[in-house]
Amino acid sequence: MRFLLIEDNADLAGSVAARLSLDGHAVDLAGCLAEAEDCLRVASYDLILLDIMLPDGDGRDFLARHRLAERQTPVIVMTARSAVSDRVDALDTGADDYITKPFDFAELEARCRAVLRRRGGAAQTQRSFADVVFDPLAATMLVAGEARDLRSREVRLFELFLSAQGRILSKEHLVDRLFSFSEPVSDNAIEVYVGRLRKKLLGSRARIETVRGLGYRLTEG
């Protein structure tokens, strides 16, 4: 998943980005609202983490504009303001969740997962395709009764395929969803990750097909 983190505290932003990156997420950093708007003009995101007090304005104004433009990207507000009125205001403005600073990284990760599940219409953490049972929290897939461990980026890649079953995903789309602006990406990076995922799926009916000149798609064979 690709996240946009809008936070002017460089130390906190770096720590949050590093923690989320361990889960295989790509995280772009914006230290102000202007930078955030620049990011949104050139990339799409699965989740936005938004501070309220920013150098060039109030995050709630950004949130209001975000919803007025009918952008559906979920938003979690991160702020030191803990009053009930502040939480109600943020949620009424269009936030999907609210977390108060200082927060535990584990709680932030859990809130991210919960918001993404709600937006995806899934209540359960485990998902199934063909004869594969996929558990993103445990970073495993069960194939013919055998648990196979996945690396963090393999987890995110399989999530992308599951969300687009039968549809072709281009290399460019996969790069956009898996890597942030700051990450160097080699020409064959996607081929490497797809190859690793195919090995984990050996023995199952799930197949990642190469559609020449177009990309890849998840099918049942």
Side-chain angles (χ1 to χ4, degrees):
M1 300 292 178
R2 189 167 185 174
F3 295 174
L4 175 60
L5 172 57
I6 309 171
E7 169 61 62
D8 64 327
N9 183 315
D11 290 339
L12 176 60
S15 297
V16 170
R19 180 62 179 256
L20 293 172
S21 296
L22 290 176
D23 286 337
H25 300 296
V27 184
D28 291 325
L29 303 179
C32 63
L33 297 178
E35 290 179 4
E37 293 291 359
D38 287 342
C39 289
L40 287 167
R41 276 191 283 270
V42 297
S44 58
Y45 295 94
D46 300 290
L47 180 65
I48 295 173
L49 301 172
L50 174 65
D51 187 20
I52 292 296
M53 302 303 293
L54 292 157
D56 56 348
D58 191 313
R60 288 168 297 189
D61 295 333
F62 167 90
L63 179 58
R65 293 194 301 271
H66 183 75
R67 295 305 183 215
L68 189 62
E70 297 186 352
R71 295 171 177 165
Q72 298 303 311
T73 309
V75 176
I76 297 177
V77 167
M78 308 184 307
T79 178
R81 295 183 173 184
S82 58
V84 172
S85 59
D86 290 319
R87 296 198 296 271
V88 170
D89 184 46
L91 294 168
D92 282 345
T93 303
D96 294 85
D97 202 353
Y98 187 108
I99 189 168
T100 304
K101 300 175 184 176
F103 49 76
D104 187 281
F105 286 144
E107 181 185 358
L108 177 63
E109 290 171 318
R111 289 181 180 273
C112 290
R113 291 192 296 267
V115 166
L116 291 171
R117 283 200 305 272
R118 290 199 298 271
R119 280 301 175 108
Q124 302 298 320
T125 57
Q126 290 188 343
R127 301 176 65 183
S128 298
F129 179 80
D131 54 351
V132 175
V133 178
F134 172 60
D135 188 336
L137 289 185
T140 62
M141 57 172 57
L142 198 64
V143 177
E146 176 188 350
R148 300 179 182 178
D149 294 332
L150 301 174
R151 296 181 180 180
S152 57
R153 198 148 273 165
E154 293 167 358
V155 171
R156 304 308 160 208
L157 180 58
F158 197 54
E159 284 181 324
L160 290 171
F161 280 122
L162 281 176
S163 66
Q165 295 174 24
R167 301 203 306 271
I168 298 172
L169 300 180
S170 68
K171 284 186 179 180
E172 291 76 13
H173 176 78
L174 295 174
V175 166
D176 180 69
R177 307 320 302 161
L178 291 174
F179 298 93
S180 67
F181 291 127
S182 61
E183 293 178 280
V185 184
S186 64
D187 292 339
N188 68 338
I190 295 301
E191 295 176 14
V192 170
Y193 286 112
V194 168
R196 291 176 181 173
L197 199 51
R198 281 171 169 159
K199 289 180 180 178
K200 301 294 174 67
L201 291 169
L202 285 175
S204 76
R205 297 197 307 275
R207 300 283 186 273
I208 299 175
E209 295 181 345
T210 298
V211 182
R212 190 172 297 278
L214 296 176
Y216 305 94
R217 66 182 167 199
L218 178 65
T219 62
E220 182 177 355

